[in-house]
Amino acid sequence: MRAPSQGRRRGLLLMEAVVYLGVVTVIMSLGMTLLYRGQANHRQLQRNADDIARTLEAGERWRADVRAAVCPPWLEAEMLRIPQAGGEVVYLCEDGIWWRIEEGPPAVWVPVLPGVKRAQILPEQTAGIPSFRCEIELAADQKAAQMTPRFSFQAVPGGRAAEGGQP
């Protein structure tokens, strides 16, 4: 005959099962919180990468326009006027958007870069060569951004425009 303690099967008490369920619930809730926080950070990082790519494309387009100048570009009331072979290209920052217009039919203002906090175009002389520097500061998406996205592009008018000649 067996002793009563040897014949019993081991099992979980109801209280142990409740404790295990509580521990699993806490672990799952922490995991889900981290998952959602990671997804939010990914979306913010993706937006920042898109802003950087758009700004670099806009800056390269501006530099190409300045290099294609046939006469020296000039600043007029917050606008940069760039004379080119097919007309004139004008850049202006207004209402948080960096605008570009190619004068000639049809003369339409085209938004080059939205979400701009400040854009400033400055004439410069580098080693006796006239050039222009464009500084762009993007508006931060978050209230407490860790850093302000700022970009600086420099361009030298090409051809006869660099020499100060007329077409």
Side-chain angles (χ1 to χ4, degrees), residues 4 15 20-22 32-33 40 64 91 110-111 127-128 137 147 153:
M15 200 54 137
Y20 291 140
L21 286 174
M32 294 303 285
T33 302
Y91 281 90
V110 177
E137 181 178 344
M147 61 182 264
F153 301 96

Side-chain angles (χ1 to χ4, degrees), residues 56-74 80-85 89 91 100 129-133 152-163:
L56 291 177
E57 288 172 8
E60 285 303 314
R61 184 173 189 177
W62 175 81
R63 289 179 64 197
D65 285 339
V66 171
R67 286 192 299 259
V70 294
C71 296
W74 70 93
L80 178 66
R81 296 187 168 277
I82 307 169
Q84 294 186 339
V89 175
Y91 281 90
R100 177 184 187 271
I129 300 171
S131 64
F132 288 89
R133 183 168 38 102
S152 183
F153 301 96
Q154 189 156 4
V156 176
R160 297 177 69 190
E163 302 163 6

Side-chain angles (χ1 to χ4, degrees), residues 38-58:
Q39 288 176 339
N41 288 342
H42 169 70
R43 283 191 299 274
Q44 182 64 37
L45 184 62
Q46 187 65 47
R47 280 193 296 269
N48 290 347
D50 292 342
D51 287 345
I52 290 169
R54 278 196 317 272
T55 305
L56 291 177
E57 288 172 8

